[in-house]
Amino acid sequence: MIVAKQKPIEEIIETLKGYNKILILGCNECVTVCEAGGKKEVAVLASALRMYFMNQGQEVKIEEATLERQCDHEYLEEIRKTVDQYDAVLSLACGVGVQFLAEKYMHTPILPGVDTCFMGVTEERGVWSERCQGCGQCILAWTAGICPVSRCAKRLLNGPCGGSSKGKCEINKEVPCAWQIIIDRLNELGRMEDYERLIPIKDWSTERAGGPRKVVREDVRS
Amino acid sequence: MRLQYPSGIRIICLPCTGKVDLLHLLHCFEKGADGVYVVGCLEGACQFNTGNLRARKRVALAQEILEKIGLGGDRVQMYNLSSSEAPRFVQIAEEMTQKILKLGPNPIKLARRKMAA
Ligand code: SF4
């Protein structure tokens, strides 16, 4: 999933200055799972903002809604009839949702309520960590299913480097060395021959280096 | 024991303080409560193991939010006591009442009245 974290309320208040009718719009997908922008977080933020503005003596109307997703037309269309009532929409979806809203509704300012962080997993409730950087050409088949692009600080494709010590990365003793995990797992799998195989220079044009990316599937396209 | 405690306190019964959500706490203040305190079982004695520990974290988060939005974090507190400690219950009720009297009324209540006028 896409992992995001809530923006500090002070920052949100700053971006909302001057708007008198605001819709806080949550998303039922990834940001609900990582507890940053689901229905619950929308309700908490809306309550806090209502109290803030009231305490400031400002009459600001704050309303709440949560869509199934903010990255698909059909769900974003659900607010078409009502969006013009608002001076601004504060989206608690990831940056994808914020932008899709902004592209769709040209006359309403769309503001982000979360900081979108990475694609990752829930290690345990309250702990999320990165697993994939969407490089566009997955090499997990050769690295025992562990991604050195997202989990090695140097993104080494043939690691580890000299900074790996006792299974930890030199950038931080809390960070496991991705290549140590890869080697341990290859060992477990009895596939150390994969480690001997040099991974060739990666074509980074399928990653961000090639500019904004797009996937087109003619077979499913309508 | 028929002990007396301040009459301004309204008790909301819950099966466990673990049921207290951050949203419940915020809504109390939005509706005009001057203060809220959550009274859970002693730490380590929760029937559901961690209900009161979870409540403590939620109270801490509510304090942080109330502080940031200018209502004052001290308006919400967490206390622990066992069900047999009636005198302690009274002591907490008095302590909290004094604290809230010192802080004054919930500014939201006053702001709402001003806006309505
Ligand atoms: S190799 Fe690329 S696509 Fe595969 S997990 Fe790593 S970053 Fe993601």
Side-chain angles (χ1 to χ4, degrees), chain A residues 16-195:
Chain A
L16 293 178
K17 270 194 183 140
Y19 299 118
N20 295 321
K21 194 163 180 208
I22 300 157
L23 174 67
I24 305 187
L25 193 62
C27 177
N28 257 340
E29 298 283 346
C30 314
V31 288
T32 295
V33 181
C34 65
E35 304 188 45
K39 198 172 177 187
K40 160 89 183 289
E41 292 73 32
V42 167
V44 167
L45 184 60
S47 176
L49 289 173
R50 276 193 293 265
M51 286 194 274
Y52 170 79
F53 287 117
M54 206 174 281
N55 194 25
Q56 297 288 312
Q58 297 173 30
E59 276 196 62
V60 178
K61 210 164 168 48
I62 309 263
E63 287 181 5
E64 308 165 27
T66 300
L67 301 179
E68 196 52 39
R69 281 201 287 280
Q70 290 190 26
C71 51
D72 273 314
H73 287 298
E74 64 238 65
Y75 302 112
L76 284 190
E77 283 300 322
E78 289 172 15
I79 60 161
R80 180 164 297 282
K81 287 206 180 87
T82 49
V83 71
D84 286 340
Q85 301 170 10
Y86 302 101
D87 297 338
V89 175
L90 179 75
S91 166
L92 299 199
C94 68
V96 176
V98 176
Q99 290 182 66
F100 216 26
L101 266 169
E103 288 168 34
K104 203 179 249 305
Y105 299 116
M106 297 300 288
H107 306 295
T108 312
I110 312 289
L111 309 161
V114 302
D115 287 320
T116 306
C117 301
F118 49 76
M119 281 188 268
V121 295
T122 309
E123 283 187 17
E124 60 182 87
R125 190 165 174 211
V127 181
W128 295 275
S129 60
E130 185 165 20
R131 288 294 184 276
C132 174
Q133 293 192 344
C135 72
Q137 230 175 36
C138 194
I139 55 164
L140 290 177
W142 313 116
T143 56
I146 309 293
C147 172
V149 177
S150 54
R151 299 178 69 184
C152 164
K154 292 177 178 165
R155 301 175 127 196
L156 287 184
L157 300 187
N158 297 285
C161 70
S164 175
S165 162
K166 297 192 181 111
K168 302 289 179 201
C169 175
E170 65 183 339
I171 61 157
N172 182 334
K173 286 196 170 47
E174 300 288 303
V175 176
C177 165
W179 274 98
Q180 182 71 56
I181 309 175
I182 293 171
I183 292 165
D184 289 348
R185 190 157 148 75
L186 283 173
N187 250 326
E188 284 289 319
L189 293 169
R191 293 191 60 99
M192 272 306 276
E193 68 272 15
D194 283 355
Y195 184 59

Side-chain angles (χ1 to χ4, degrees), chain B residues 4-74:
Chain B
Q4 299 289 313
Y5 64 92
S7 58
I9 291 168
R10 244 185 45 207
I11 294 181
I12 299 172
C13 299
L14 290 167
C16 171
T17 48
K19 184 72 191 153
V20 179
D21 194 86
L22 172 61
L23 202 51
H24 298 139
L25 298 171
L26 294 182
H27 280 169
C28 290
F29 291 99
E30 212 182 329
K31 286 185 175 170
D34 297 318
V36 175
Y37 65 106
V38 178
V39 187
C41 296
L42 292 169
E43 290 191 359
C46 175
Q47 292 269 7
F48 305 99
N49 295 337
T50 54
N52 49 2
L53 304 178
R54 284 171 192 271
R56 180 169 289 283
K57 287 188 188 173
R58 291 169 193 157
V59 167
L61 194 53
Q63 283 174 331
E64 195 185 314
I65 293 173
L66 292 179
E67 194 61 42
K68 283 185 177 171
I69 61 173
L71 262 70
D74 283 348

